[in-house]
Amino acid sequence: MAIEHLQPGNLVPKPPEPRPESEIMAGWKGDRNKPLVSILCITYNHAPYIADALNGFLIQETDFPFEIIVHDDASADETQRIIEQYQQRYPNLITTVFQTENQYSKGSRPTQFVKDLCRGIYSALCEGDDYWLSPDKLSKQVFLLETNKDVHLSVHPAYLFDVSKGKFAPKFEHDLVSGSVLPVSDAVSASSQFAPTASYFFRTKEFLSMPEWFFNAQDLPFGDYFIEALLGRHGIIYAHDIFSVYRRNVPGSYTHRTAQSSDNYLISRIGSVLRYTSKLEDYECISSISIQKRKVNIVKDYQGMALARRSLYLYRAVSAEGERYAVRNAVVENIAMKSEVSFRCYRFYRFLKATSSKLKSFIWMLKKRFSRSPNFSG
């Protein structure tokens, strides 16, 4: 059963304790040594969270075999110990890859260590600080891809839980019925991540045929977007249920590392992101207009970081990287780069603009709320 929307103020839901291994496997049909689905979990220093992820995998109720492959990148906390305890309880379900040295710091992408272990026709992703809520998740996404043979990727919404603020809310929702096929242009041109990583469900064969740079490039800062773009290039099937929780601002996460990064690191990273985004132009089914929109969004995002950091140096460098990929500034943005004074004035202008927008939204919400109030006159 899918988890229904929770109301603000409720506690963030957690998956229940899983059943014994024998009960999970009791309803499986076919060869238990030939899993239909491979669950891939990448983790590092996720001791406070990894049990939720593993429980979310183990609550799945299916009539087909599945396997769980967990890669730990030499965690310095108790993550490996917790995984080992689960593996002892579920030896026929959980396969582990424990690194003794952190591979990510050496430029190695974790996916290259698990991709060749996948035995399933389908694969599902979930990082160790996220988790699944519904026991129906795998069954429903299998059904969607089984009934849409030409589509390779399925996604769904999630609860976004900001651990730094203790707030959560539904995110990544579309006003569509389950089973709707979204065009890849929606994902390619998105201003940020189109769908939560823990929602990704795809055909393993297509995943393994992704370009070599996706698995091995040392300067590729993330893979989510390229999974959406490349595996979704024939359409993306949407399941409307909220099947997972996406934690944001977890210590050590991509979002957290970005906030702590130096200006020079961010300059190097935007160059890499724009360069790999340009590689999507090799695929005829991905429109160049969508790709260019994405490049514009990337530049605007990094310019926003520069404004937040009050760094004219970063703003100029980001704008220069954008120029290399035909992303050009508006006149007012070029004026902002002239001097520290003009940059401060531009920051103040953006502040006023954002404040005005928030005020308009607040007034609109008030009008909407009062328009629904009952009329007590008469």
Side-chain angles (χ1 to χ4, degrees), residues 40 123-125 145 150-155 181-184 187-188 200-211 214-215 223-237 280 283 285-286:
L40 309 180
S123 292
L125 282 187
L145 288 190
D150 296 329
V151 180
H152 306 317
L153 174 66
S154 171
V155 301
V181 179
L182 297 160
V184 71
V188 172
Y200 295 172
F201 187 89
F202 44 78
R203 301 184 196 279
T204 304
K205 180 179 178 181
E206 297 298 325
F207 177 62
L208 297 179
S209 67
M210 288 182 70
F214 173 80
F215 295 106
D224 323 58
Y225 171 71
F226 297 99
I227 288 176
E228 293 171 352
L230 295 175
L231 295 187
R233 64 187 185 274
H234 298 300
I236 301 171
I237 298 182
L280 299 179
Y283 297 84
C285 49
I286 303 177

Side-chain angles (χ1 to χ4, degrees), residues 5 35 56 142 192 268 288:
H5 276 195
V142 164
S192 59
S268 172
S288 58

Side-chain angles (χ1 to χ4, degrees), residues 77-284:
D77 61 7
E78 294 294 299
T79 302
Q80 284 197 12
R81 183 184 64 81
I82 296 170
I83 296 169
E84 286 175 337
Q85 291 175 344
Y86 272 82
Q87 187 183 35
Q88 290 171 6
R89 292 166 55 194
Y90 300 93
N92 295 301
L93 293 176
I94 298 176
T95 299
T96 58
V97 180
F98 290 149
Q99 299 292 348
T100 56
E101 294 182 272
N102 185 267
Q103 299 301 309
Y104 183 82
S105 63
K106 295 181 177 182
S108 297
R109 297 185 56 74
T111 46
Q112 68 178 278
F113 300 106
V114 296
K115 66 183 180 70
D116 294 331
L117 298 177
C118 297
R119 296 181 295 164
I121 295 175
Y122 303 105
S123 292
L125 282 187
C126 183
E127 296 180 345
D129 54 348
D130 299 329
Y131 57 95
W132 298 344
L133 291 170
S134 172
D136 298 332
K137 173 190 158 65
L138 290 184
S139 294
K140 288 193 173 182
Q141 289 190 290
V142 164
F143 174 78
L144 289 175
L145 288 190
E146 288 280 355
T147 52
N148 292 269
K149 298 294 186 181
D150 296 329
V151 180
H152 306 317
L153 174 66
S154 171
V155 301
H156 58 71
Y159 286 112
L160 176 62
F161 178 41
D162 190 324
V163 298
S164 64
K165 299 177 181 178
K167 296 181 178 180
F168 78 99
K171 186 72 172 176
F172 307 105
E173 292 183 296
H174 301 276
D175 189 18
L176 299 167
V177 298
S178 196
S180 298
V181 179
L182 297 160
V184 71
S185 58
D186 286 5
V188 172
S189 62
S191 58
S192 59
Q193 189 170 346
F194 177 72
T197 308
S199 76
Y200 295 172
F201 187 89
F202 44 78
R203 301 184 196 279
T204 304
K205 180 179 178 181
E206 297 298 325
F207 177 62
L208 297 179
S209 67
M210 288 182 70
E212 179 272 339
W213 54 259
F214 173 80
F215 295 106
N216 299 317
Q218 295 188 352
D219 59 344
L220 181 65
F222 51 78
D224 323 58
Y225 171 71
F226 297 99
I227 288 176
E228 293 171 352
L230 295 175
L231 295 187
R233 64 187 185 274
H234 298 300
I236 301 171
I237 298 182
Y238 177 70
H240 73 271
D241 299 291
I242 298 182
F243 284 146
S244 64
V245 170
Y246 167 36
R247 286 189 177 100
R248 178 172 284 177
N249 289 321
V250 169
S253 65
Y254 179 82
T255 305
H256 191 258
R257 293 196 307 271
T258 296
Q260 297 182 326
S261 297
S262 67
D263 285 0
N264 285 332
Y265 175 79
L266 293 179
I267 293 166
S268 172
R269 196 173 73 182
I270 187 177
S272 297
V273 173
L274 288 169
R275 182 169 68 257
Y276 285 107
T277 300
S278 295
K279 290 181 178 293
L280 299 179
E281 295 167 359
D282 296 338
Y283 297 84
E284 293 183 0

Side-chain angles (χ1 to χ4, degrees), residues 354-367:
T355 302
S356 174
S357 177
K358 289 180 180 178
L359 182 60
K360 288 179 181 177
S361 297
F362 179 69
I363 292 172
W364 179 84
M365 286 176 58
L366 286 178
K367 288 181 177 179

Side-chain angles (χ1 to χ4, degrees), residues 32 56 62 193 307 363:
R32 294 186 175 187
T62 70
Q193 189 170 346
L307 291 168
I363 292 172

